[in-house]
Amino acid sequence: STYPPGSTFYWTFGNGTDSQFSDPVYTYQAAGVYDVGLTITTPEGESKAIKQIGYITVTNTDPPVLGDH
């Protein structure tokens, strides 16, 4: 869906972190299962909220190890 110009976006990532970008990129720092929420508010004050329970599963947060060549 598209929303009128001036709409605000509020994302929650299930670990106390949030974003107000319309299309954020977020990297989790710890393994776990996380809920994700989004609230959009139009300039007229109408809000729509959605929460996805257990939407993100992070199993490994270690950076890849490069071997010697």
Side-chain angles (χ1 to χ4, degrees):
S1 294
T2 59
Y3 293 90
S7 294
T8 61
F9 299 83
Y10 181 72
W11 290 89
T12 57
F13 300 110
N15 62 354
T17 305
D18 57 45
S19 174
Q20 293 182 7
F21 291 106
S22 61
D23 190 17
V25 174
Y26 183 74
T27 302
Y28 288 87
Q29 301 299 316
V33 177
Y34 299 94
D35 304 337
V36 176
L38 171 61
T39 301
I40 300 170
T41 305
T42 68
E44 294 80 23
E46 296 177 39
S47 289
K48 182 171 184 174
I50 186 169
K51 185 173 188 178
Q52 296 290 321
I53 306 298
Y55 191 69
I56 301 289
T57 300
V58 177
T59 57
N60 185 1
T61 59
D62 294 331
V65 177
L66 302 176
D68 293 343
H69 290 92

